[in-house]
Amino acid sequence: MLNFDEGRFVGIQEGAVAMAGDLRALIGKLLSDGVERLYFMGTGGVQLLALPAVDLLLQRSTIPTSARYPAEVVLDPPAGLDEKALVVIPSLSGTTKESVAVLSFLKPRGARTISLTGHADTPLARETDHNFTNFAEDDTSSESFYLQHLLIALSVMAARGEYPGFEKTVAELQRLPRLLVDAKAAFEDTAARLAETIKNEDYHIFTGAGSVWPEAYYYGMCILEEMQWIRTRPVHAADFFHGTLELVEPGVSVFVFKGEDACRPLADRVERFATRYTDRVRVLDAATVDLPGISAETRALISPVILATLLERLSAHLEVLRDHPLTTRRYYRRTEY
């Protein structure tokens, strides 16, 4: 596979799954010690990678759960940021300035904090109450953060008696890293052809629903916009017919992401419409990926992980064909903003 280090990838994803026991124990203790509500506060793309877990909690648990932007919290904080709150702060670098600032904001209020980082000796890793570091880099971080957030959500529900299948699910997830390598390999030729097809296209609509909507948003904003300077329009499939449909015409690219959860029919509806009016509908469907030993229940939880791992292959080919490395930025390291 093009520009792919199998050992590094597997090690990183296995590291994420290996957090299950420690996360389950810590969260059980924090809930016993008085935590009554949860906040997920990531900055940029990593916050999008938390959203499937947030939605899972909102759907299946009665614990109050919220996703907030750190930059907004320090200006206009929500109620309840006190000793009964648990705040999860993910950051690959561990140095994201908005996330470091929100941590300083939270400390005097007594909120408990957990950081998820890719590097240990960093401000967030050192200064949160609890840190889980799993080394990753841009090309391997999506799956890792999706899995870590999922394990937090499952740990919360397990501790509250809302998810009795925790151990079974974790046992299946332990199989996943190597299965994802197989999924990448099976998708490699498709990724190469798709990259060749879209390499000169400068605008795409991305849509999805349920657990894969955040991946549609993430891939458009954080990969194509940030890393390839390609214009995109991420729109939730439930909103597609309330505006964005009017942009669909011959030659317009529409990416439809499909998961294996209850919201799949919303993506099906977009696909049926878009294929009538443009010849550039690209469907990525988690259900087409072979994952032997993974139950339907677990597959429904990991649809965004599956799509992220396929899309990494598309990105690997795009950066070569466009002669634009994914690490190239215009403004990322400037300080004027």
Side-chain angles (χ1 to χ4, degrees):
M1 286 185 280
L2 180 68
N3 294 338
F4 180 65
D5 184 332
E6 178 177 337
R8 180 171 67 101
F9 174 82
V10 170
I12 288 167
Q13 309 317 322
E14 287 181 342
V17 177
M19 294 180 181
D22 290 341
L23 281 170
R24 174 70 177 83
L26 172 62
I27 288 173
K29 182 177 186 303
L30 291 171
L31 293 175
S32 296
D33 288 346
V35 164
E36 296 181 357
R37 46 190 166 268
L38 302 177
Y39 298 86
F40 290 79
M41 297 185 187
T43 298
V46 75
Q47 179 73 340
L48 297 175
L49 303 178
L51 294 184
V54 173
D55 286 344
L56 180 64
L57 286 164
L58 292 172
Q59 290 296 114
R60 300 198 192 180
S61 178
T62 57
I63 189 169
T65 304
S66 177
R68 297 285 177 162
Y69 293 110
E72 285 191 340
V73 170
V74 298
L75 297 173
D76 189 16
L81 289 178
D82 54 26
E83 68 282 352
K84 294 182 179 181
L86 172 60
V87 181
V88 179
I89 308 175
S91 169
L92 179 61
S93 68
T95 63
T96 309
K97 62 182 181 181
E98 295 93 338
S99 299
V100 173
V102 85
L103 178 59
S104 298
F105 180 85
L106 292 169
K107 280 194 171 185
R109 288 160 175 78
R112 331 284 181 93
T113 55
I114 295 175
S115 60
L116 306 174
T117 61
H119 303 276
D121 190 20
T122 57
L124 286 174
R126 291 192 301 264
E127 297 173 23
T128 46
D129 297 327
H130 309 278
N131 170 252
F132 290 83
T133 292
N134 184 47
F135 170 78
E137 293 178 310
D138 284 341
D139 61 333
T140 54
S141 64
S142 292
E143 299 96 328
S144 176
F145 277 117
Y146 275 135
L147 289 168
Q148 291 175 59
H149 286 108
L150 173 61
L151 289 169
I152 288 175
L154 296 179
S155 294
V156 170
M157 293 191 294
R160 291 166 53 85
E162 296 167 331
Y163 193 82
F166 182 85
E167 288 78 12
K168 177 180 179 293
T169 300
V170 170
E172 293 185 20
L173 292 178
Q174 289 169 345
R175 303 168 57 93
L176 187 62
R178 295 195 176 277
L179 292 175
L180 292 177
V181 173
D182 294 340
K184 287 177 182 289
F187 189 68
E188 184 74 3
D189 290 345
T190 300
R193 289 193 299 270
L194 181 55
E196 180 67 38
T197 300
I198 71 171
K199 66 182 181 182
N200 294 321
E201 295 181 4
D202 61 1
Y203 173 70
H204 304 276
I205 295 170
F206 280 87
T207 191
S211 66
V212 300
W213 155 240
E215 180 60 22
Y217 195 163
Y218 178 90
Y219 195 76
M221 181 177 75
C222 297
I223 306 301
L224 293 192
E225 290 183 354
E226 179 183 339
M227 299 183 183
Q228 289 293 292
W229 306 349
I230 294 171
R231 293 171 177 84
T232 71
R233 167 67 164 107
V235 57
H236 195 288
D239 286 332
F240 188 90
F241 294 95
H242 300 276
T244 306
L245 82 167
E246 296 293 343
L247 300 179
V248 179
E249 60 185 6
V252 171
S253 173
V254 180
F255 275 81
V256 181
F257 289 4
K258 292 186 176 184
E260 298 182 69
D261 57 19
C263 294
R264 182 183 176 93
L266 296 176
D268 291 336
R269 183 187 180 203
V270 173
E271 181 186 10
R272 288 194 300 271
F273 172 85
T275 52
R276 294 172 59 192
Y277 298 104
T278 178
D279 58 343
R280 299 187 184 183
V281 177
R282 288 82 188 232
V283 177
L284 273 78
D285 187 351
T288 64
V289 176
D290 187 27
L291 296 175
I294 306 297
S295 66
E297 181 181 25
T298 299
R299 289 186 67 113
L301 298 173
I302 60 171
S303 291
V305 181
I306 297 169
L307 294 190
T309 219
L310 301 184
L311 287 161
E312 182 273 328
R313 292 289 78 215
L314 175 61
S315 303
H317 286 276
L318 270 181
E319 69 171 340
V320 172
L321 291 173
R322 291 170 49 81
D323 191 23
H324 186 134
L326 296 169
T327 53
T328 299
R329 307 285 195 280
R330 285 193 182 102
Y331 311 113
Y332 183 68
R333 298 195 182 281
R334 295 191 185 183
T335 59
E336 69 259 30
Y337 62 92

